[in-house]
Amino acid sequence: DEMFAALATLAAVLQLAAAVGFDQSAAAVGQLLCNGRPASGVLVKMYDDDTGPDLDDFMGEGRTDGNGRFSLRGTTDEALTIDPKINIYHDCNDRLTPCQRRITIFVPNSYVSSGKNPTKTYNAGTIELAGQFSGEERDC
């Protein structure tokens, strides 16, 4: 009976921690190219990648500027350390194929900050969208 009570208490504490959570944030910058030229106006979104029945938490979005550069920052409330990812939605070398190509870049956990204001920014570098990416999907 003591074991059952201890497990019930632990389950209640974990449930409370999941319900409470705490603010966490992330920021990322980078540049997108298509065939060596800046990819301007490309939609870039940041999510907290969640597994299981929990849907990914939207953290922020933006579009690349005339030089193909993006800058994103976002925040979400989560009990465990968030797993930020950047989704890039583009049509580079896609001709008339319906839907957009979507690639995902995961932000390392060392760039996750406590609170609503990121203290570090992940630099994703310059990404050439013309190539094929492992795990690439179509987003309609």
Side-chain angles (χ1 to χ4, degrees):
D1 278 344
E2 283 182 39
M3 181 71 157
F4 179 76
L7 286 174
T9 303
L10 178 62
V13 168
L14 289 174
Q15 197 170 21
L16 180 64
V20 174
F22 60 96
D23 287 327
Q24 298 175 64
S25 56
V29 296
Q31 182 183 27
L32 305 180
L33 301 177
C34 180
N35 298 312
R37 291 187 300 279
S40 62
V42 174
L43 179 62
V44 184
K45 295 182 180 182
M46 183 181 285
Y47 291 93
D48 169 28
D49 187 47
D50 287 321
T51 56
D54 195 10
L55 295 175
D56 292 347
D57 300 316
F58 175 75
M59 294 176 64
E61 71 176 58
R63 289 195 178 269
T64 55
D65 66 13
N67 293 316
R69 288 189 169 81
F70 68 86
S71 179
L72 287 177
R73 58 189 298 140
T75 184
T76 190
D77 186 315
E78 194 85 27
L80 302 173
T81 302
I82 61 173
D83 297 305
K85 68 179 180 182
I86 302 162
N87 284 350
I88 300 168
Y89 305 86
H90 70 97
D91 290 307
C92 181
N93 288 359
D94 213 19
R95 295 189 183 88
L96 299 174
T97 309
C99 308
Q100 290 188 298
R101 295 171 63 188
R102 181 183 75 211
I103 60 170
T104 299
I105 297 166
F106 287 90
V107 176
N109 283 349
S110 58
Y111 288 88
V112 173
S113 304
S114 292
K116 291 182 186 279
N117 296 309
T119 56
K120 291 186 269 189
T121 300
Y122 175 66
N123 187 339
T126 301
I127 301 165
E128 174 55 71
L129 298 173
Q132 292 295 314
F133 292 87
S134 155
E136 183 176 308
E137 296 181 16
R138 290 232 166 247
D139 198 81
C140 297

